[in-house]
Amino acid sequence: MATTRTARTAWEGNLVDGNGQVTFASSGIGEYPVSWPARAEAPNGKTSPEELIAAAHSACFSMALSHGLTGAGTPPTKLDTQADVTFQPGTGITGIHLTVVGEVPGLDEAGFVKAAEDAKANCPVSQALTGTTITLAASLA
């Protein structure tokens, strides 16, 4: 069954001086402030589209990797994934770097890296972001 998730942004003002509120409507987990300075400079307690993409990508990748490892008979004990999304004003998103450290009993480093590469290629968020260079560093704890 297909699912749809919804987020809304209410924006006031121009790009540089304006600001907005991102609301996670489907889950109801809250509203978060967003602004151009938070995107192009220091966050100062506000989020950005890139941070939201990083959250989505790290979660999706972790789920895909966990699923792949479990399907191969080596379920992970723990996966710690970080996604770094780089934004260059005037250019856009210039890359995403995933870093994952896993605890996977019975699996060697080469097997973990292979599984992580497969998850990077096949998680739905990676597939949605195919116009962006995605790199990966994977290691066992």
Side-chain angles (χ1 to χ4, degrees):
M1 174 193 326
T3 59
T4 300
R5 299 295 181 252
T6 304
R8 290 188 319 271
T9 299
W11 187 267
E12 295 180 5
N14 65 36
L15 173 63
V16 176
D17 299 317
N19 60 72
Q21 288 278 44
V22 175
T23 302
F24 291 89
S26 300
S27 63
I29 62 171
E31 295 181 350
Y32 298 89
V34 62
S35 70
W36 176 255
R39 187 176 194 186
E41 300 166 14
N44 293 319
K46 296 180 181 179
T47 193
S48 68
E50 290 71 29
E51 184 177 38
L52 298 171
I53 290 169
H57 205 178
S58 67
C60 184
F61 172 85
S62 294
M63 291 177 183
L65 180 53
S66 175
H67 180 68
L69 290 167
T70 300
T74 53
T77 302
K78 181 178 180 181
L79 298 172
D80 184 3
T81 304
Q82 178 172 315
D84 298 302
V85 177
T86 302
F87 174 74
Q88 177 64 47
T91 302
I93 294 173
T94 59
I96 300 171
H97 183 70
L98 297 169
T99 304
V100 62
V101 177
E103 294 177 14
V104 187
L107 188 65
D108 65 11
E109 190 91 14
F112 182 70
V113 169
K114 184 176 185 291
E117 287 288 350
D118 185 64
K120 178 186 82 136
N122 293 303
C123 95
V125 172
S126 288
Q127 291 178 347
L129 299 171
T130 56
T132 301
T133 300
I134 302 170
T135 57
L136 172 69
S139 63
L140 291 172

